[in-house]
C-alpha cells in the first residue's frame, strides 16, 4: 500500500495559450509515461484526445492521468489534471479544483496576468488550494520574468517569491538559477532530458544574491529557527530548513514559490516536478475533511486514512463508448472496492460499485481498490450527478457540493428530422450529465427547446458533439441572452386562495412582504416571521416552495427572477379546507400580483473584454466598442502592443471576435469573460419587451 505522503493530486491551471497542455506533455515524457513529445500544433498530445480539442488547439475538457516521479530515491505518485484555459469551459476548472490538493499556476512570460489567469486564481483561492507558479515561455519574444512576478503580486494580491531566476530570455534563454541550492542548470537543445549543473554565471551573481536575500528574508518571518540562522553573523543556512519552511508556508498560502522555464523548448520542467512533490500537499496534509450529518445537520469529521469509513465525491461524469457511464471520484477517506455499496447524498439511495478504473487520459486500467487520497473512476453507478457525496451506508455524510456559474447565453434548437427528436432529448440528457453548466429549458410561451451555456464557443462545441458523437443534426436559432429580473422596491401584499366546489374545498391566506434581496445574495431569501402558529410549519414550507417556483418566470418579460426577499408574517388556515398545495398555489399567485407593484427591472449579463492590438487599430476598436454600449476601463501599452479592457453587455458581443479580426486585419485578439449582471437601460428594455 502506498504511503499517503508520497501521493500528490495536482492540477495545471492558466489562461488559454499559456502552455498548460505542452507543460503536461513534458511532465509525462520526463516521468516516463510517454516516449515521444506530443505537440498541440500537431494535434498529437496525450491529454487533448477530443477531436474538437485537436481541431481547435485548445483544452475543452479537463483530463486526468496518473504518473510517477522519483525524487532522491523516493517514488511519488502524481495524479495530474490538465484543465481548460478558455473562459467558456471554466466549470471544468471549478470541479477540478474542488477535488485537487494543489495546483501549478502557469503564466506566459510575455502576456503575464490575463483575464482567465485571474479567474482560475480566484477559484483556487475559494477552495484554498495551495499552489506554485510556473512562468512559462521564457523563450518567447517579449518575455520578462520580473515584470510578470510584479504583475502577479499587484493584480492577484499574492505573496509570490521567486525560488529560481532565468538565465537569459527570448532566444537566449538557456536555463535557470536555483536560489536555494545556489547553482545553475543549463539544458541541452534536444529533448530536454539532460541538463548540466554549473556555477552561477558571474554576470548574474549580484542579481541572484539579491533574489536569494529576498527569499530568505521572506521565509525568516514565518520560522523562528530560520530567523536565528538568517540573523547570525556567521554560519550558513541549511537547505533542509529552507525546504521545510517553504513547504509549510506554501501549504498555508503565506508564500507562493515562483519557478520559470520554457516547456516547448524542454527547459525547466524537472525542477518544477521536484517543487510539486517538495512543496505541494499530500492528502495526509489535509488533516480532516468536514461534512454534515444528513440527520441532524451537525458538522462531521473524517480523517484521510484507509481505516475510516469510505467517503468520496463525484466530480465528473464521462460517457464512454465501450465502458458506459464513468463517474470520476476523489476518495477522501476509507477504501473503495468493486462490489461495495455506497449511499448517495442527493438521492438518499444505495448504489453498487461494479468496477474501479485508473484513468490515463482517454485510456483506463482496471484496479482492485481506490483508497484515501486517490482519484479514479467508478463503473456501474446509477443516478449519480456531479457534486454527489458517496459514502458508506452505515456512516452517511454530506460534503460541500460544487457550485457552477449560471449560463448566460442560449440557442433555440430543434432536430432537423422528426425521427431524431427522441434521440435529441436522450443525447442532451447525457451531455447535461457530463456538463453541469449546460441547461435545457422549454420556453413556456413559444414551446421552443432552449439550450443554454457559458458562451458561443461552449454551445458551438456542444452542437458539434451532438452531430459527431450522437449523430443528431439540429437547427439553431439566433443567440439569446439570459436576462434576469429583479425588484427595486418593497411591497406588502395579502393573497387569499379560495375554492369551493362542494365537499372539501381549498383555502390559503398569506400576508407577506416582497422586497429586493440584500446585495450579493442570489435566489430566494425567505424569512419566516409567523407568530402564534397562524400558519403551521408544514404549510410555511409549501409557501416557500411556491415562491421558489414562481421565481422561474418574472412578470416583466417572463425571465427568471435573479434574487428577492420574502418575509411571511401572517395568514390563516381553514380547519378542513387548507392543504399544503393550497399554500403553494397562494404563494405563486401572490408573487404574480405583488411583483407588478415591486418595481421590476431587467438585468443583463455584462462581460469583461480584454483586447491586445497594435496601436494603430486602437481608435477603430474603441469606436466599435462604444457602438456596442461598451465602457472602456483601461488602456495601456505593454510588450509592444496596446492592452485595452472594457465592460460590454453580452447582447452586443455576438460574433465580436470575427468583427475584431476584420477591424484589425487579423492582428488583434480578445478574451471575453463574464463580469456581472447590470440593469438594462429603459430605452433598451422597451425594445426587448416588443421583441419578447
Amino acid at each position: 500500500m502506498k504511503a499517503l505522503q508520497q501521493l500528490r493530486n495536482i492540477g495545471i491551471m492558466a489562461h488559454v495559450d499559456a502552455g498548460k497542455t505542452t507543460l503536461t506533455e513534458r511532465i509525462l515524457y520526463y516521468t516516463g509515461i510517454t516516449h515521444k513529445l506530443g505537440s498541440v500544433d500537431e494535434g498529437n498530445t496525450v491529454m487533448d484526445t477530443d477531436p474538437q480539442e485537436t481541431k481547435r488547439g485548445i483544452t475543452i475538457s479537463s483530463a486526468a492521468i496518473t504518473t510517477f516521479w522519483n525524487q532522491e530515491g523516493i517514488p511519488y505518485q502524481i495524479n495530474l489534471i490538465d484543465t481548460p484555459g478558455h473562459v467558456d469551459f471554466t466549470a471544468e476548472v471549478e470541479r477540478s479544483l474542488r477535488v485537487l490538493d494543489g495546483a501549478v499556476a502557469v503564466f506566459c512570460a510575455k502576456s503575464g496576468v490575463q483575464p482567465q489567469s485571474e479567474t482560475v486564481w480566484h477559484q483556487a483561492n475559494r477552495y484554498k488550494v495551495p499552489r506554485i507558479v510556473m512562468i512559462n515561455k521564457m523563450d518567447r519574444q517579449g518575455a520578462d520574468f520580473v515584470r510578470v512576478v510584479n504583475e502577479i503580486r499587484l493584480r492577484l494580491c499574492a505573496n509570490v517569491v521567486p525560488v529560481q531566476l532565468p538565465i537569459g530570455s527570448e532566444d537566449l534563454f538557456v536555463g535557470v538559477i536555483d536560489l536555494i541550492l545556489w547553482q545553475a542548470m543549463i539544458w541541452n537543445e534536444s529533448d530536454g532530458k539532460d541538463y548540466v549543473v554549473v556555477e552561477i554565471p558571474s554576470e548574474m551573481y549580484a542579481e541572484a544574491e539579491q533574489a536569494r536575500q529576498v527569499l530568505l528574508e521572506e521565509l525568516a518571518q514565518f520560522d523562528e529557527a530560520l530567523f536565528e540562522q538568517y540573523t547570525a553573523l556567521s554560519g550558513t543556512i541549511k537547505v533542509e530548513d529552507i525546504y521545510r519552511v517553504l513547504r509549510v508556508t506554501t501549504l498555508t498560502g503565506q508564500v507562493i514559490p515562483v519557478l520559470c522555464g520554457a516547456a516547448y523548448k524542454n527547459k525547466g520542467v524537472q525542477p518544477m516536478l521536484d517543487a510539486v512533490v517538495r512543496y505541494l500537499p499530500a492528502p495526509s496534509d489535509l488533516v480532516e475533511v468536514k461534512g454534515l450529518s444528513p440527520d441532524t445537520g451537525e458538522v462531521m469529521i473524517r480523517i484521510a486514512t484507509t481505516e475510516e469509513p469510505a467517503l468520496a465525491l463525484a466530480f465528473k461524469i464521462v460517457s464512454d463508448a465501450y465502458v458506459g457511464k464513468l463517474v470520476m471520484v476523489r476518495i477522501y477517506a476509507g477504501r473503495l472496492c468493486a462490489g461495495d455499496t455506497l449511499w448517495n447524498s442527493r438521492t438518499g439511495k444505495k448504489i453498487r460499485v461494479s468496477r474501479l478504473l485508473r484513468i490515463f487520459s482517454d485510456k483506463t486500467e482496471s484496479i482492485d481498490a481506490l483508497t484515501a487520497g486517490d482519484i479514479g473512476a467508478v463503473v456501474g453507478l446509477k443516478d449519480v450527478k456531479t457534486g454527489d457525496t458517496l459514502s458508506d451506508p452505515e456512516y452517511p455524510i454530506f460534503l460541500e457540493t460544487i457550485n457552477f456559474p449560471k449560463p448566460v447565453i442560449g440557442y433555440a434548437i430543434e432536430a432537423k428530422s422528426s425521427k431524431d427528436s427522441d434521440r435529441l432529448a436522450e443525447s442532451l440528457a447525457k451531455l447535461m450529465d457530463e456538463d453541469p453548466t449546460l441547461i435545457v429549458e422549454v420556453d413556456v410561451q413559444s414551446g421552443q427547446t432552449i439550450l443554454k451555456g457559458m458562451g458561443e464557443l461552449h454551445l458551438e462545441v456542444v452542437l458539434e458533439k451532438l452531430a459527431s458523437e450522437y449523430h443528431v443534426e439540429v437547427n439553431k436559432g439566433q443567440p439569446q441572452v439570459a436576462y434576469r429580473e429583479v425588484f427595486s422596491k418593497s411591497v406588502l401584499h395579502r393573497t387569499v386562495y379560495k375554492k369551493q366546489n362542494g365537499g372539501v374545498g381549498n383555502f390559503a391566506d398569506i400576508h407577506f412582504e416582497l422586497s429586493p434581496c440584500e446585495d450579493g445574495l442570489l435566489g430566494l431569501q425567505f424569512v419566516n416571521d409567523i407568530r402564534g402558529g397562524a400558519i403551521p410549519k408544514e404549510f410555511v414550507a409549501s409557501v416557500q416552495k411556491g415562491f421558489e417556483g414562481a421565481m422561474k418566470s418574472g412578470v416583466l418579460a417572463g425571465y427568471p427572477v435573479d434574487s428577492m426577499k420574502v418575509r411571511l408574517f401572517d395568514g390563516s388556515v381553514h380547519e378542513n379546507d387548507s392543504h399544503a398545495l393550497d399554500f403553494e398555489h397562494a404563494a405563486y399567485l401572490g408573487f404574480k400580483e405583488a411583483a407588478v407593484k415591486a418595481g421590476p427591472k431587467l438585468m443583463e449579463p455584462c462581460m469583461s473584454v480584454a483586447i491586445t492590438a497594435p496601436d494603430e487599430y486602437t481608435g477603430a476598436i474603441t469606436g466599435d466598442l462604444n457602438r456596442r454600449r461598451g465602457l472602456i476601463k483601461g488602456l495601456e501599452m505593454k510588450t509592444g502592443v496596446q492592452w485595452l479592457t472594457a465592460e460590454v453587455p453580452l447582447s452586443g458581443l455576438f460574433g465580436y471576435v470575427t468583427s475584431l479580426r476584420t477591424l484589425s486585419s487579423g492582428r488583434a485578439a480578445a478574451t471575453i469573460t463574464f463580469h456581472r449582471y447590470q440593469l438594462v437601460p429603459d430605452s433598451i428594455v422597451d425594445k426587448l419587451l416588443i421583441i419578447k
Side-chain angles (χ1 to χ4, degrees):
M1 187 183 298
K2 64 179 177 294
L4 280 179
Q5 292 82 2
Q6 291 165 232
L7 177 61
R8 299 290 182 271
N9 293 312
I10 67 162
I12 310 290
M13 62 182 202
H15 184 91
V16 66
D17 202 34
K20 297 180 307 303
T21 301
T22 301
L23 178 61
T24 305
E25 288 296 313
R26 272 41 180 186
I27 290 173
L28 299 180
Y29 181 67
Y30 299 135
T31 56
I33 293 294
T34 60
H35 303 286
K36 181 183 177 183
L37 289 170
S39 168
V40 173
D41 295 333
E42 295 175 14
N44 60 356
T45 62
V46 172
M47 303 301 270
D48 287 350
T49 55
D50 189 306
Q52 294 197 56
E53 292 179 319
T54 303
K55 170 185 172 183
R56 300 172 190 274
I58 61 171
T59 301
I60 291 172
S61 177
S62 54
I65 198 164
T66 299
T67 188
F68 299 87
W69 181 245
N70 195 300
Q71 185 186 74
E72 297 176 355
I74 302 174
Y76 289 86
Q77 177 181 322
I78 300 175
N79 294 326
L80 178 67
I81 294 184
D82 175 28
T83 62
H86 196 285
V87 64
D88 282 16
F89 310 103
T90 191
E92 290 286 334
V93 184
E94 186 81 24
R95 60 176 161 198
S96 298
L97 288 173
R98 171 65 180 82
V99 298
L100 292 171
D101 300 328
V104 178
V106 182
F107 295 84
C108 173
K110 176 185 178 183
S111 303
V113 178
Q114 296 170 276
Q116 189 65 1
S117 309
E118 297 188 55
T119 302
V120 297
W121 192 272
H122 295 317
Q123 285 174 308
N125 284 344
R126 187 161 61 251
Y127 290 117
K128 299 179 180 177
V129 178
R131 71 215 77 157
I132 62 175
V133 166
M134 176 68 166
I135 297 180
N136 191 29
K137 300 192 175 184
M138 280 304 305
D139 60 319
R140 193 172 177 183
Q141 290 294 316
D144 189 332
F145 178 81
V146 174
R147 175 179 56 79
V148 176
V149 170
N150 289 332
E151 270 190 32
I152 297 171
R153 284 192 185 121
L154 292 172
R155 294 181 59 178
L156 302 180
C157 301
N159 188 23
V160 288
V161 180
V163 295
Q164 291 180 348
L165 288 182
I167 301 175
S169 64
E170 301 180 348
D171 293 339
L172 300 177
F173 176 69
V174 294
V176 301
I177 294 172
D178 188 319
L179 298 174
I180 300 174
L181 293 175
W182 201 239
Q183 63 187 25
M185 288 170 275
I186 308 294
W187 272 263
N188 65 21
E189 292 294 328
S190 57
D191 65 357
K193 276 193 172 182
D194 301 318
Y195 59 89
V196 294
V197 175
V198 298
E199 290 187 359
I200 295 171
S202 57
E203 66 273 15
M204 292 192 66
Y205 204 89
E207 181 185 351
E209 272 195 322
Q210 184 179 0
R212 179 180 166 86
Q213 188 93 345
V214 170
L215 170 63
L216 295 177
E217 283 178 1
E218 191 63 44
L219 296 181
Q221 297 179 52
F222 301 102
D223 186 83
E224 189 175 333
L226 190 67
F227 178 78
E228 290 176 359
Q229 290 184 51
Y230 178 68
T231 54
L233 295 176
S234 60
T236 58
I237 297 176
K238 296 177 182 177
V239 169
E240 294 77 13
D241 284 336
I242 300 176
Y243 285 152
R244 175 182 56 80
V245 179
L246 198 49
R247 175 176 174 76
V248 170
T249 52
T250 301
L251 296 186
T252 58
Q254 294 167 303
V255 172
I256 299 173
V258 181
L259 301 93
C260 59
Y264 186 72
K265 292 292 181 68
N266 313 309
K267 296 170 184 175
V269 180
Q270 295 94 329
M272 188 214 71
L273 281 165
D274 284 334
V276 164
V277 300
R278 187 169 279 137
Y279 308 130
L280 293 182
S284 54
D285 291 311
L286 306 173
V287 181
E288 56 188 29
V289 180
K290 292 183 179 180
L292 297 177
S293 165
D295 298 322
T296 65
E298 294 179 355
V299 174
M300 301 178 71
I301 303 296
R302 291 283 190 272
I303 308 298
T305 67
T306 53
E307 287 74 30
E308 288 273 310
L311 175 60
L313 183 75
F315 70 94
K316 186 170 182 178
I317 311 296
V318 179
S319 296
D320 187 275
Y322 302 102
V323 181
K325 183 178 179 179
L326 292 180
V327 179
M328 294 185 66
V329 296
R330 160 69 191 266
I331 310 296
Y332 282 99
R335 181 180 176 86
L336 192 59
C337 301
D340 284 355
T341 299
L342 295 170
W343 179 79
N344 187 329
S345 64
R346 181 178 52 83
T347 64
K349 296 179 180 178
K350 294 180 180 180
I351 49 180
R352 188 174 181 275
V353 176
S354 174
R355 290 170 57 201
L356 297 172
L357 303 172
R358 180 85 66 203
I359 302 295
F360 293 94
S361 189
D362 62 335
K363 299 179 177 62
T364 59
E365 174 186 279
S366 292
I367 54 174
D368 297 328
L370 290 170
T371 58
D374 269 333
I375 290 177
V378 184
V379 181
L381 300 184
K382 295 181 180 179
D383 194 19
V384 174
K385 296 185 180 297
T386 299
D388 287 355
T389 302
L390 308 175
S391 59
D392 187 318
E394 299 297 319
Y395 303 91
I397 186 174
F398 278 105
L399 292 178
E400 178 190 358
T401 188
I402 308 171
N403 296 313
F404 296 104
K406 293 183 179 179
V408 295
I409 183 176
Y411 289 131
I413 61 169
E414 62 179 10
K416 282 189 176 180
S417 60
S418 56
K419 64 182 176 65
D420 283 341
S421 295
D422 290 340
R423 287 176 56 211
L424 174 61
E426 293 172 7
S427 303
L428 287 174
K430 289 181 180 179
L431 288 170
M432 284 191 292
D433 261 353
E434 295 184 12
D435 187 349
T437 60
L438 201 62
I439 293 178
V440 176
E441 296 176 348
V442 176
D443 189 295
V444 292
Q445 296 179 353
S446 65
Q448 291 178 312
T449 298
I450 310 297
L451 178 66
K452 293 184 175 181
M454 299 307 298
E456 287 184 278
L457 178 60
H458 183 205
L459 293 180
E460 187 181 318
V461 166
V462 170
L463 293 179
E464 284 191 25
K465 201 168 186 179
L466 274 173
S468 61
E469 293 187 23
Y470 295 96
H471 309 293
V472 178
E473 298 281 348
V474 300
N475 295 317
K476 69 171 184 176
Q478 291 298 311
Q480 300 180 8
V481 176
Y483 292 100
R484 298 180 188 174
E485 296 185 21
V486 293
F487 301 117
S488 59
K489 60 184 179 181
S490 300
V491 294
L492 296 174
H493 193 75
R494 179 189 180 192
T495 295
V496 179
Y497 174 69
K498 187 176 181 180
K499 281 188 178 181
Q500 194 69 46
N501 298 318
V504 178
N506 306 98
F507 180 86
D509 174 22
I510 58 173
H511 298 233
F512 63 93
E513 180 185 25
L514 179 67
S515 58
C517 222
E518 295 175 10
D519 288 345
L521 294 176
L522 296 177
L524 173 64
Q525 185 183 358
F526 187 80
V527 180
N528 178 12
D529 259 355
I530 294 293
R531 298 288 182 268
I535 300 177
K537 287 183 179 179
E538 59 269 26
F539 291 166
V540 171
S542 296
V543 173
Q544 181 173 351
K545 184 178 178 183
F547 279 114
E548 288 172 346
M551 289 178 69
K552 295 177 181 177
S553 178
V555 296
L556 188 61
Y559 294 107
V561 175
D562 183 56
S563 63
M564 70 179 189
K565 181 179 180 180
V566 172
R567 183 174 66 88
L568 180 66
F569 59 87
D570 201 3
S572 62
V573 299
H574 188 280
E575 186 177 351
N576 298 317
D577 292 352
S578 291
H579 309 87
L581 194 58
D582 299 337
F583 280 87
E584 191 175 329
H585 284 320
Y588 187 88
L589 294 172
F591 168 83
K592 297 298 181 184
E593 295 163 357
V596 177
K597 308 171 191 174
K601 299 285 186 182
L602 207 58
M603 303 280 285
E604 63 181 344
C606 181
M607 314 302 282
S608 176
V609 182
I611 301 166
T612 57
D615 189 44
E616 61 263 34
Y617 299 106
T618 304
I621 291 170
T622 54
D624 182 59
L625 288 173
N626 289 330
R627 286 191 292 274
R628 297 172 186 268
R629 294 196 288 132
L631 177 64
I632 309 299
K633 302 294 288 185
L635 187 64
E636 64 173 315
M637 182 68 76
K638 188 168 70 171
T639 62
V641 295
Q642 286 284 4
W643 286 63
L644 186 149
T645 55
E647 294 177 10
V648 190
L650 175 62
S651 58
L653 287 174
F654 296 129
Y656 179 67
V657 174
T658 303
S659 299
L660 180 66
R661 289 194 189 113
T662 303
L663 278 175
S664 63
S665 303
R667 297 176 65 191
T671 301
I672 302 171
T673 57
F674 174 74
H675 181 52
R676 61 188 169 93
Y677 267 84
Q678 65 181 20
L679 285 173
V680 180
D682 292 339
S683 58
I684 305 296
V685 172
D686 294 338
K687 294 178 183 177
L688 289 172
L689 294 181
I690 293 171
I691 296 171
K692 187 75 175 178

